[in-house]
Amino acid sequence: MAPYDFVPNVQCSFPVKCHPLYSFIRPRLEDWAATLEPGHGEGNPKSRKCLVAEKRVLATCMLIPVADDARIENMCKLACWCFHVDDILDDLQGLGADSGDMPLKQYQRFANRVSELLEASVNQVKLRNLKTVMGLEELLAHRRVLVGVFVMETLMEYGMGFELQDDAISNQDLQEAESLVADHVSCVNDLFCFLVDSATGDTQFNIVHTIMCGNSDSKGFSFEYAADKVHKLVQSIEHRFKKLCENIRRSSCYNGAMEAYLEGLSHIISGNLEWHRQTGRYKLKQLWKTQVPTISWSVDLIVLMLSTGIRKHNLLYLLPCHAMAPASILNSPSLPSSSCGGLVVFFELLS
């Protein structure tokens, strides 16, 4: 029986069309799509053949055959991403994320956490489109899954060569400790990426910005206040994490594997902080912007010198006009010859 002989002979009264550039763009796009799928690459020709057989490029060219020639290729790429995400949700192994020697129950936990991460990512897109404003606790809970630490914790367990037993996994102190690690990572990330988020206007899910906005009973707070509050939150999270580790070490589920896992969790905390100090991901050389979020800025010059690791030469200048700028800034060759009106944000971040 042919693959689809079981399907009724469904008829359609509309004509079938295909975009005229299909044959021209197909080979290049199939090569590109294969790079998204680790299991379909050159090292796995059989799986790659299956990917080509799915005719994902053809799907877009037949579903939207009248698209502009200049846009059809990008449309096909976006559609391939949709296939890619759908595959992830359905089957991680189908993507070539082979469990290998990962124990089955451990792999199932890993797959579930990946699915939760993807679901949270989709939910964030919805919240962003709705311009949803969250309070601090709600935002922390939202970021807890989205930051991806739960996925890394399961990978760490596998990578270190042990599998936590059911009584350990269900231990409430351990579950809280895992959540605290995620909260620590979220807070550190939002401190370091605040400049970039502010410059791009993407502060909706930044914890520092949320504190600055205040609530219905306040007019908002300065960056210094918010950053200090997040800094203290980071310290309290680490303190609580240590107390929970002490409790776990006195519990009946404590053993050598648990000790290794607790140490691994502490490495996530310290490693994430140090990575943020070293990465160039959140540094801006020069950036001008004519508007910033309407929050209460109390100073003209903010020097980010928190012990969280933002170095003192990372400066954010808030200049309402050139007249308020220090002479050293006025003499900067990168300063434009005229003010743009409104609040100007100038970043001079030295590497």
Side-chain angles (χ1 to χ4, degrees):
M1 184 171 64
Y4 300 121
D5 279 356
F6 64 92
V7 178
N9 186 24
V10 181
Q11 298 296 313
C12 178
S13 60
F14 303 113
V16 176
K17 294 183 179 181
C18 183
H19 196 281
L21 292 181
Y22 167 68
S23 297
F24 175 73
I25 64 176
R26 179 187 62 80
R28 180 168 63 252
L29 285 174
E30 285 179 347
D31 288 342
W32 175 85
T35 65
L36 303 179
E37 318 280 352
H40 297 303
E42 295 179 358
N44 193 339
K46 183 178 179 181
S47 295
R48 183 184 176 88
K49 184 178 180 180
C50 291
L51 173 64
V52 172
E54 289 183 12
K55 301 182 183 297
R56 297 180 178 184
V57 178
L58 180 63
T60 307
C61 288
M62 295 187 76
L63 268 61
I64 315 176
V66 293
D68 282 352
D69 290 355
R71 295 184 174 181
I72 184 61
E73 189 165 344
N74 195 48
M75 283 177 51
C76 288
K77 287 184 176 182
L78 293 171
C80 284
W81 268 111
C82 293
F83 279 110
H84 182 64
V85 171
D86 185 59
D87 283 345
I88 293 175
L89 292 170
D90 287 343
D91 181 14
L92 290 174
Q93 283 188 324
L95 281 173
D98 197 333
S99 60
D101 58 349
M102 182 182 285
L104 178 60
K105 291 176 67 174
Q106 191 177 68
Y107 181 79
Q108 289 173 338
R109 284 192 287 117
F110 169 72
N112 289 339
R113 286 182 161 180
V114 170
S115 296
E116 291 168 357
L117 173 61
L118 291 169
E119 184 178 349
S121 299
V122 171
N123 185 47
Q124 176 155 298
V125 173
K126 296 178 181 178
L127 294 173
R128 178 177 281 115
N129 291 337
L130 294 172
K131 301 188 184 304
T132 302
V133 178
M134 297 183 182
L136 179 58
E137 293 301 321
E138 185 182 8
L139 181 56
L140 279 171
H142 171 71
R143 293 289 305 280
R144 198 167 289 148
V145 175
L146 195 66
V147 77
V149 169
F150 292 152
V151 173
M152 294 301 296
E153 288 170 347
T154 311
L155 282 178
M156 176 190 70
E157 177 188 343
Y158 162 70
M160 295 175 70
F162 59 84
E163 181 180 12
L164 294 178
Q165 300 303 305
D166 291 343
D167 59 339
I169 295 170
S170 61
N171 183 280
Q172 291 186 353
D173 285 338
L174 181 62
Q175 291 177 355
E176 183 182 348
E178 290 177 327
S179 295
L180 286 174
V181 174
D183 290 348
H184 192 285
V185 169
S186 296
C187 289
V188 168
N189 175 257
D190 285 7
L191 278 169
F192 279 82
C193 73
F194 177 78
L195 295 180
V196 174
D197 287 350
S198 294
T200 59
D202 188 21
T203 54
Q204 184 178 355
F205 303 105
N206 187 288
I207 295 169
V208 178
H209 177 261
T210 297
I211 295 174
M212 291 178 71
C213 289
N215 52 47
S216 57
D217 299 326
S218 65
K219 296 182 180 180
F221 302 98
S222 69
F223 168 81
E224 294 159 307
Y225 173 88
D228 183 62
K229 187 166 184 177
V230 176
H231 183 200
K232 290 177 179 176
L233 179 58
V234 167
Q235 292 177 318
S236 67
I237 288 172
E238 183 172 339
H239 178 74
R240 174 62 180 165
F241 173 78
K242 290 178 179 178
K243 295 292 292 184
L244 288 170
C245 288
E246 293 175 4
N247 294 344
I248 294 169
R249 290 186 176 100
R250 292 192 294 266
S251 69
S252 59
C253 67
Y254 178 73
N255 54 26
M258 177 65 83
E259 178 59 35
Y261 189 69
L262 295 179
E263 182 180 357
L265 293 178
S266 70
H267 289 322
I268 292 178
I269 290 175
S270 60
N272 175 70
L273 177 56
E274 182 58 28
W275 175 78
H276 274 81
R277 287 172 173 158
Q278 296 190 25
T279 183
R281 182 179 176 88
Y282 306 115
K283 293 181 180 180
L284 297 174
K285 279 288 185 181
Q286 296 171 357
L287 176 63
W288 287 88
K289 196 174 178 70
T290 57
Q291 292 182 344
V292 294
T294 53
I295 46 185
S296 176
W297 299 94
S298 63
V299 292
D300 299 318
L301 172 61
I302 298 176
V303 183
L304 302 182
M305 297 176 61
L306 302 179
S307 62
T308 47
I310 302 178
R311 293 190 289 266
K312 64 182 180 181
H313 58 252
N314 291 351
L315 307 180
L316 166 60
Y317 299 101
L318 300 177
L319 307 176
C321 63
H322 285 180
M324 296 185 66
S328 59
I329 304 303
L330 286 174
N331 295 329
S332 171
S334 57
L335 191 66
S337 58
S338 62
S339 180
C340 299
L343 189 63
V344 176
V345 183
F346 177 53
F347 294 92
E348 178 78 12
L349 298 191
L350 305 178
S351 58

